[in-house]
Amino acid sequence: LMACPALYISADVEQEMPGNTTAETSTAGAGEVVSAAEDSTTEVVSPSHFRGSSSRPVPNPELISAEVKMGDLQKDGACQTELERFCRNVERGKGHLALCLDDQVRSAAARFEEAVISEACREELRAFAIAAAKAPVPLDGKPRVAIDPVENFNELCELDAQKFCPGSSGPSLIPCLKRVKVQLDPNCGQAMDKVQQLQASEFELDPALTDACAEDIANINVCRMVKPSHKKNCLRIHMEEVSERCRQHLFESKQQENEDIRYSDGIHRTCKTEIANHCRDVDFGEARMMNCLWENAGKPNFGQQCSAEVTWEMRQASSDYRLNWRLRKACAEDIAQLCVDEKAKADESSINELLGLSGGNATTGQVLHCLKKRYGGIRSQNCKGEVMHLVKVQAQDIQADPVLSRQCKEDLERHCNSVPAMHGHLCLRNHMHELNSECMAAEVIQGSLESYDVDNKPWMKHDCSPAIREYCFDVPKGEAQVIRCLQDHMMKNGFPVLCRTSVQADMQASNNDWRLKYGLSHACQDDVDQLCHDFKDLGGGKVLECLKDSMEYITTSNCRAEIRRYVAQGSENIFAAPQVLSRCVQDVHDHCSDVEPGRGRVHDCLRSHRFELSPGCAKAEFHEQEIEAKDIRMDEMAMWRCRSSIEKFCPNPQWGQGRIWKCLEQHRHDEEMNSGCIQAIDKHLVEKHRGFFLNPEMGVCMKDAKVLCGPELGMAEARDFKSNGVVLACLVNNRHAIVDPQCREEVTRKQGQRLDHFDLDPSAKSACDDDLEKFCPMAKGKKEGRAHKCLQNNFNKLSPACKKVQQGIMVMSAEDVRFNMPLKMSCKAATQRYCRSVRPEEVEKCLMSKLYDISMETPCRNALLSDMVRQGSNIDFNPDLKRSCKEDLLRFTQLGLCTAKVPTSGMADQGLKIQCILRNIHGVKNPQCRMAAMGVMRKGSKDMRGLPGMAAACEADTALFCKDVSAGEGQRKQCLYEHIKELHSPECRDHIKWFRQEQLKDATLNPEIERDCGNEVSSFCRSVEAGDSRRLICLERNKMMNGFSEQ
């Protein structure tokens, strides 16, 4: 399209071009051009209109000369018929007859109709106008032209001519008045406007230009053959071939033409349909019509030929401040103040120097580039508006920026050779760190100004018009507010895909340099100077990475907000995180080439291949997660999903240091937590549990980790995923040795999360994945500890590695209800009701005391019974008993008390140890051991399943004698005792007798007494130590006292 004006010219050349052998050949050539643009509205002139056609009459030069001397057309000349028909009442003189006929021609042309004037008259009229324009005028002290080119020209411009052009007359007056047109009286200005339109239609009506370019027209065949209105454009297309004098006049002529599209007959005719359809209400003049055409050039019903002409013209207007009529007028004072050197150089340079035709490089565009570079110093709002319009034009067409095109020529060829002109800037920004310094500087200037508003990014505005109307209709323009609005809404369902693609492309490109981001470049100047001064002018994302790594030291709140926004964009789309992408390019290609960017998908893909990533990519991805873990706002998708949950569960949020994540984690099981946020929390937890440094709240554990987990901490400090959660596992295993209470609390919380969600524990997952698939496929992915519960229910079938892991988990769950997920989840209501003020490690004991309360929920009772059975089967699940009875158990074993006459039916070795301690409780020396043992016996007093081996030994007898007796409150043991002589199992009989003897020695082992005599024990026997029947004796002695109930 850049060269399209040449097509229009070639369609207007003579039929008999030099070198052509036949007319038919050249006619076919012209026909080919027309058919290539058959949908255009460009007028195709018939062969009879070509200059030099053999059928065209040639006026008599002597006649024309005489007419000019007389000041008007001869009434008996070639126009006799037309003058009688149209101008009978017009007085001859001062060109009145010529103007009368010219009005007829132009009125018809304005209607795109053929004037009813003979070809001979038309040629005489044309020859007269040309001769009149060149006619000299005597120097009589009154500047004027020989014959008015338009009605009353000399009269209307008399005062302005004397004021501005006192030494100019004849052919030199009109060029002089053109140069000062903005200062002319309105009436003279309107007359000049008509003159310039005449000159647009006839090249030779501009004597100075005609004289300067006469030889060039003669030497360039195609320009000699085109019709008059196209000669100037033809010469401009062949600018490098014409003489310097002609070149200079063309340049000066273009300065004047750019005020009004009508001063360029070619584009005016080419775009007649587009003017009618798109710019009907726009006034001509002050470049308004050209701007209107440019604004509408991308619309579907806009002709290609007009679009090409507009592109050509806008490139010309963007190449030199003198060719940009509106900017030149609006910015005159600012140019004089801000761009003195650039203006002086441009004004002093010859046209050859400007265009680089004198052996050096071209220098066009320096003043415009200066205005862009010093935009912040521009005082005039009108000038700022024109500079921003220039930015829009150059954003749409990179070749409209001559300075950048020169400085980026090699980079454009290397990186963007096949990229459309409208996407050239995006391409350069995506290669920012590879650009040469001059190209980078020019692109930063353009990009920083583009970032001010979506209007400065025409391609984005075009793609996003529907989205702007729907989501950002009330957002003010400027300060990147509409761009931010689009970014904030682009992930919503229903957001236009085309706009999302454009916004993401712009975001990706601008994230390559801090100066390309409006908000950040304005808000972070001071912080950049303080924290990242060494990188300030390097570009290529160095400053962005520096600010990202120094976030906690940024003092400006607005800058912190902008950096958060930048990081969040990169978390959503890796292509908007250039520093990460540069380290992961090969990894993305190898592992995630089929993954669609956006919504964090590529990051998720890379992290799913964490152990296969290259070292640089692993560290970069880990660092991204480390930042996201500190502040949920850095994870755009998580923030989008959890915004409402944060408002509900974390009011008045304190951002940073993982506090919001922690708040959400604590409410993860709340019924009102939305499902999308739960997914985000679970995803975040999986990552956190794999890396110690992805847990900001675990900073309180650094000292303990160094002491207890030195080697594991060393692995984690590599920050590359390879530690796979070993530090946290080490702290859990050494939890009793942790010194810092805050650390102990955090480790407890983390382990609770691991037990709740099987996938959070890398070591458990590694050891038990196959077992889970084999025995508990329905529990995969389930929360609330269901996976571990199922595995423990299949404990004896598990692989050795998984059995070891589950053994450790069961031990932990016996220590603290916070580690006992089935109990914790089943007993929420009961815990609130009975044990709200009880310490966590005492909660299970509290609940067990209420085991058979009528208000106890069945799920909670079942969970408690399950724990009781497990604790009765293995001393490892009785941590207090194991710890406090270690020495007594060793002594009993050495004395042989743990093997003689002890029933062993259904008991494993660890259950036998409990049995040994209980059977020898009166020989226990350690008071804490006795207390722990009595706790086990009190549980068993209510339900024999809590005593090692008893339930298994008495199973058959219970079914025979006590099948209708409810479990609990010691009822089944009492039933069996009542049938003791009938019991078939000697082992069961031994268990029942033993426990009956113990009940007689300690009233607290008798559920009936504990239930019915609780008040009496508190009133009369509080100070009496349990054991050796002391409380029974106490109750007996006081049974006649007042307050002693009958029951």
Side-chain angles (χ1 to χ4, degrees):
L1 294 179
M2 289 170 54
C4 271
L7 298 181
Y8 319 147
I9 289 172
S10 62
D12 292 330
V13 295
E14 283 190 76
Q15 282 184 301
E16 296 185 25
M17 293 280 289
N20 287 347
T21 55
T22 63
E24 288 79 9
T25 303
S26 60
T27 302
E32 288 171 2
V33 173
V34 173
S35 65
E38 59 189 3
D39 293 333
S40 169
T41 58
T42 300
E43 179 184 28
V44 180
V45 183
S46 63
S48 64
H49 285 76
F50 289 130
R51 182 169 173 78
S53 172
S54 58
S55 62
R56 178 174 295 166
V58 179
N60 184 336
E62 293 181 359
L63 172 66
I64 300 300
S65 178
E67 288 178 334
V68 170
K69 288 180 180 179
M70 295 297 295
D72 212 339
L73 295 175
Q74 294 276 17
K75 286 192 173 183
D76 57 356
C79 293
Q80 182 177 357
T81 302
E82 287 80 359
L83 288 172
E84 289 178 358
R85 180 179 179 184
F86 298 113
C87 310
R88 177 174 299 176
N89 298 322
V90 176
E91 183 179 353
R92 184 170 182 262
K94 296 185 179 181
H96 290 166
L97 294 176
L99 290 174
C100 173
L101 290 180
D102 189 66
D103 283 344
Q104 291 297 319
V105 174
R106 296 196 177 282
S107 295
R111 298 188 300 272
F112 297 101
E113 297 174 354
E114 189 73 22
V116 188
I117 292 178
S118 68
E119 188 67 20
C121 177
R122 191 191 300 264
E123 285 301 312
E124 181 177 338
L125 184 61
R126 173 177 173 272
F128 174 80
I130 293 171
K134 297 178 180 180
V137 174
L139 294 176
D140 55 4
K142 190 176 181 181
R144 57 192 176 84
V145 293
I147 299 174
D148 288 341
V150 296
E151 189 171 359
N152 299 323
F153 178 83
N154 279 325
E155 180 182 341
L156 293 172
C157 291
E158 180 179 3
L159 296 178
D160 285 315
Q162 292 176 354
K163 180 178 180 180
F164 299 110
C165 308
S168 300
S169 283
S172 65
L173 178 60
I174 288 176
C176 174
L177 291 174
K178 283 183 184 179
R179 288 192 288 271
V180 295
K181 188 178 177 185
V182 293
Q183 303 175 59
L184 299 181
D185 174 81
N187 291 327
C188 179
Q190 290 177 10
M192 284 296 300
D193 182 70
K194 294 177 181 179
V195 170
Q196 288 178 273
Q197 291 184 53
L198 288 174
Q199 291 181 340
S201 65
E202 173 55 66
F203 177 73
E204 292 187 59
L205 289 180
D206 187 340
L209 184 61
T210 304
D211 181 58
C213 298
E215 292 184 8
D216 300 281
I217 290 175
N219 293 333
I220 300 173
N221 287 334
V222 67
C223 295
R224 178 167 54 85
M225 297 297 179
V226 298
K227 66 180 183 178
S229 61
H230 283 171
K231 288 190 182 294
K232 267 193 289 189
N233 271 349
C234 180
L235 290 170
R236 286 180 181 135
I237 290 172
H238 294 271
M239 198 73 150
E240 295 186 7
E241 302 173 44
V242 302
S243 64
E244 182 174 1
R245 182 171 172 234
C246 176
R247 201 175 287 136
Q248 184 66 40
H249 275 77
L250 287 169
F251 181 71
E252 293 172 359
S253 173
K254 192 64 180 173
Q255 295 176 39
Q256 298 148 7
E257 288 176 18
N258 283 352
E259 178 190 356
D260 195 320
I261 193 173
R262 295 171 298 179
Y263 301 165
S264 178
D265 187 68
I267 188 171
H268 186 209
R269 283 182 172 271
T270 301
C271 295
K272 64 179 183 290
T273 302
E274 286 73 22
I275 291 171
N277 291 340
H278 299 284
C279 306
R280 182 185 302 273
D281 298 327
V282 177
D283 293 333
F284 287 98
E286 296 188 358
R288 285 184 289 258
M289 189 62 70
M290 179 61 71
N291 283 352
C292 175
L293 290 172
W294 183 83
E295 293 283 355
N296 289 279
K299 292 184 178 178
N301 60 341
F302 203 95
Q304 287 187 347
Q305 288 188 0
C306 179
S307 178
E309 285 275 11
V310 170
T311 299
W312 176 272
E313 291 292 337
M314 293 305 283
R315 283 185 184 175
Q316 298 299 309
S318 302
S319 66
D320 191 286
Y321 81 101
R322 292 163 291 188
L323 300 181
N324 193 320
W325 191 90
R326 292 175 64 88
L327 184 144
R328 184 179 78 227
K329 179 181 177 183
C331 297
E333 293 184 4
D334 287 294
I335 290 173
Q337 290 181 351
L338 300 174
C339 306
V340 178
D341 294 339
E342 290 82 1
K343 181 180 184 299
K345 184 175 181 180
D347 292 347
E348 294 167 5
S349 297
S350 67
I351 185 64
N352 282 0
E353 290 171 334
L354 284 174
L355 300 178
L357 300 176
S358 299
N361 294 325
T363 59
T364 51
Q366 294 294 347
V367 174
L368 298 177
H369 187 71
C370 167
L371 287 172
K372 288 167 61 178
K373 187 176 181 180
R374 295 178 172 85
Y375 179 82
I378 296 175
R379 295 182 179 180
S380 166
Q381 291 301 314
N382 288 338
C383 179
K384 282 190 170 183
E386 292 306 320
V387 173
M388 279 301 183
H389 186 267
L390 172 70
V391 169
K392 283 196 287 185
V393 172
Q394 294 177 341
Q396 180 80 355
D397 180 5
I398 197 170
Q399 295 185 38
D401 187 338
V403 173
L404 187 142
S405 294
R406 288 194 299 270
Q407 294 177 343
C408 296
K409 181 179 179 181
E410 293 182 0
D411 289 304
L412 285 168
E413 291 174 353
R414 182 183 301 112
H415 304 298
C416 314
N417 195 34
S418 60
V419 174
M422 68 162 49
H423 293 151
H425 290 294
L426 284 181
C427 175
L428 289 177
R429 289 166 203 167
N430 282 325
H431 294 275
M432 187 65 81
H433 64 286
E434 304 170 63
L435 304 181
N436 72 70
S437 58
E438 289 185 342
C439 178
M440 181 186 293
E443 188 56 50
V444 163
I445 292 170
Q446 173 69 20
S448 63
L449 292 174
E450 279 185 32
S451 71
Y452 180 76
D453 192 71
V454 71
D455 285 351
N456 298 344
K457 301 173 183 282
W459 51 273
M460 183 192 289
K461 184 178 180 182
H462 174 269
D463 293 346
C464 292
S465 292
I468 293 171
R469 286 194 297 271
E470 182 172 355
Y471 298 100
C472 312
F473 63 91
D474 58 347
V475 176
K477 289 187 176 183
E479 297 184 353
Q481 293 181 87
V482 176
I483 297 173
R484 286 168 172 272
C485 172
L486 293 171
Q487 292 172 352
D488 291 341
H489 290 86
M490 69 177 179
M491 300 313 300
K492 289 187 175 179
N493 293 331
F495 193 89
V497 175
L498 181 62
C499 180
R500 181 186 296 128
T501 302
S502 290
V503 173
Q504 288 178 331
D506 177 67
M507 199 162 62
Q508 174 184 334
S510 64
N511 280 3
N512 282 285
D513 195 294
W514 72 291
R515 295 165 292 186
L516 299 176
K517 302 182 73 63
Y518 175 84
L520 197 146
S521 62
H522 285 71
C524 295
Q525 285 282 356
D526 292 341
D527 291 291
V528 170
D529 288 337
Q530 184 177 357
L531 301 171
C532 310
H533 182 76
D534 293 343
F535 306 109
K536 188 173 181 179
D537 298 320
L538 293 181
K542 297 289 186 183
V543 170
L544 287 171
E545 284 305 295
C546 171
L547 289 172
K548 181 175 167 183
D549 293 339
S550 307
M551 262 200 300
E552 57 189 295
Y553 305 110
I554 293 176
T555 57
T556 311
S557 59
N558 288 341
C559 181
R560 280 197 301 272
E562 291 299 329
I563 289 297
R564 282 197 301 269
R565 189 178 188 86
Y566 162 70
V567 175
Q569 291 170 354
S571 76
E572 194 275 335
N573 188 343
I574 193 172
F575 290 94
Q579 295 302 308
V580 178
L581 182 63
S582 66
R583 297 182 180 101
C584 295
V585 169
Q586 190 60 45
D587 300 271
V588 172
H589 178 269
D590 292 344
H591 306 298
C592 312
S593 57
D594 58 342
V595 176
E596 180 186 359
R599 296 181 181 261
R601 286 183 284 258
V602 177
H603 287 298
D604 290 344
C605 172
L606 289 173
R607 292 165 193 176
S608 70
H609 293 274
R610 61 179 55 80
F611 299 122
E612 306 161 52
L613 299 181
S614 63
C617 182
K619 287 181 179 294
E621 277 295 327
F622 190 94
H623 183 51
E624 289 295 297
Q625 280 197 286
E626 201 171 354
I627 293 172
E628 293 167 15
K630 290 180 180 178
D631 193 332
I632 190 173
R633 293 174 296 180
M634 304 299 185
D635 186 336
E636 194 162 88
M637 288 305 300
M639 190 63 191
W640 179 60
R641 289 172 172 169
C642 293
R643 193 178 301 278
S644 61
S645 297
I646 292 171
E647 292 173 358
K648 182 174 185 61
F649 298 111
C650 314
N652 303 316
Q654 293 183 341
W655 305 99
Q657 295 306 309
R659 284 184 284 263
I660 303 304
W661 279 120
K662 185 174 180 179
C663 170
L664 292 173
E665 290 164 16
Q666 290 169 340
H667 293 277
R668 189 245 177 255
H669 293 289
D670 282 44
E671 293 181 0
E672 297 181 8
M673 176 69 74
N674 78 66
S675 58
C677 188
I678 290 174
Q679 292 175 4
I681 294 168
D682 290 346
K683 175 184 170 184
H684 177 68
L685 283 172
V686 169
E687 301 299 340
K688 284 179 73 171
H689 279 264
R690 289 172 175 154
F692 179 71
F693 290 103
L694 298 180
N695 296 269
E697 65 274 29
M698 294 292 289
V700 295
C701 291
M702 279 300 294
K703 289 183 179 180
D704 285 297
K706 288 178 180 178
V707 174
L708 302 172
C709 310
E712 292 84 356
L713 186 61
M715 289 179 62
E717 284 176 339
R719 287 174 162 86
D720 59 0
F721 298 113
K722 291 183 180 177
S723 64
N724 203 29
V726 295
V727 177
L728 184 53
C730 171
L731 288 171
V732 169
N733 293 335
N734 292 278
R735 59 192 176 278
H736 299 299
I738 293 174
V739 175
D740 189 303
Q742 288 182 296
C743 176
R744 194 160 48 244
E745 183 64 27
E746 282 300 326
V747 170
T748 298
R749 190 173 72 88
K750 291 293 180 186
Q751 183 59 13
Q753 291 174 346
R754 287 187 167 192
L755 296 174
D756 172 49
H757 188 349
F758 176 79
D759 291 339
L760 299 186
D761 190 341
S763 58
K765 188 170 173 59
S766 174
C768 296
D769 244 353
D770 292 341
D771 294 279
L772 190 67
E773 182 68 37
K774 185 176 181 180
F775 302 115
C776 311
M778 298 301 292
K780 291 183 68 174
K782 302 293 184 182
K783 312 298 187 302
E784 301 180 357
R786 294 178 188 176
H788 289 298
K789 182 178 180 180
C790 177
L791 289 169
Q792 290 164 17
N793 290 340
N794 292 274
F795 186 79
N796 292 327
K797 304 175 187 177
L798 302 180
S799 64
C802 184
K803 188 177 289 186
K804 182 179 180 181
V805 169
Q806 293 305 321
Q807 176 98 1
I809 290 172
M810 288 189 286
V811 169
M812 276 188 282
S813 67
E815 288 180 1
D816 191 327
V817 73
R818 290 173 293 182
F819 294 156
N820 191 331
M821 294 311 298
L823 187 68
K824 182 180 177 181
M825 301 309 298
S826 301
C827 297
K828 278 184 179 180
T831 301
Q832 284 294 309
R833 185 165 57 250
Y834 302 124
C835 315
R836 181 178 299 177
S837 59
V838 175
R839 290 184 303 150
E841 56 269 27
E842 299 292 331
V843 168
E844 186 177 27
K845 188 183 294 184
C846 167
L847 291 171
M848 198 65 75
S849 70
K850 305 294 183 181
L851 180 62
Y852 291 104
D853 269 27
I854 193 170
S855 60
M856 174 64 76
E857 294 85 356
T858 300
C860 181
R861 180 180 290 118
N862 291 338
L864 287 167
L865 288 170
S866 177
D867 274 6
M868 188 169 67
V869 171
R870 186 168 66 244
Q871 292 168 9
S873 67
N874 194 323
I875 195 171
D876 289 337
F877 305 148
N878 284 273
D880 289 344
L881 187 71
K882 182 177 181 179
R883 184 169 53 253
S884 59
C885 296
K886 183 177 181 180
E887 293 181 2
D888 286 299
L889 182 59
L890 178 62
R891 182 165 51 82
F892 294 153
T893 302
Q894 290 172 344
L895 293 173
L897 299 176
C898 293
T899 55
K901 299 180 181 179
V902 177
T904 59
S905 177
M907 275 193 290
D909 290 344
Q910 300 304 314
L912 288 173
K913 292 179 180 180
I914 302 174
Q915 174 90 320
C916 176
I917 295 169
L918 298 184
R919 290 298 182 102
N920 295 283
I921 192 169
H922 302 294
V924 170
K925 293 182 178 181
N926 186 341
Q928 291 181 332
C929 175
R930 185 179 295 111
M931 187 183 300
M934 285 304 297
V936 174
M937 293 179 71
R938 288 190 186 101
K939 286 182 185 178
S941 71
K942 294 183 178 181
D943 195 313
M944 63 182 180
R945 289 171 290 187
L947 295 169
M950 182 179 287
C954 297
E955 185 176 6
D957 290 306
T958 301
L960 183 61
F961 301 110
C962 310
K963 63 179 179 180
D964 296 326
V965 178
S966 300
E969 298 298 336
Q971 295 178 86
R972 284 185 177 174
K973 282 198 298 295
Q974 180 63 30
C975 171
L976 289 170
Y977 178 72
E978 292 171 358
H979 293 85
I980 194 163
K981 293 182 179 180
E982 306 167 59
L983 299 180
H984 294 169
S985 169
E987 292 180 15
C988 180
R989 191 181 302 116
D990 182 84
H991 277 294
I992 297 299
K993 283 183 177 180
W994 163 75
F995 200 78
R996 185 66 176 181
Q997 292 170 3
E998 296 301 324
Q999 284 181 317
L1000 294 174
K1001 295 176 183 178
D1002 193 330
T1004 61
L1005 298 179
N1006 191 317
E1008 293 181 6
I1009 293 177
E1010 187 178 14
R1011 181 187 66 235
D1012 298 336
C1013 303
N1015 291 333
E1016 288 76 2
V1017 170
S1018 298
S1019 300
F1020 304 109
C1021 309
R1022 179 177 295 177
S1023 61
V1024 176
E1025 183 182 359
D1028 293 330
S1029 304
R1030 285 185 288 268
R1031 284 192 176 174
L1032 285 172
I1033 294 170
C1034 172
L1035 290 170
E1036 177 67 25
R1037 288 175 178 172
N1038 291 280
K1039 69 180 181 180
M1040 302 307 295
M1041 299 292 289
N1042 289 334
F1044 207 97
S1045 68
E1046 288 294 326
Q1047 191 174 3

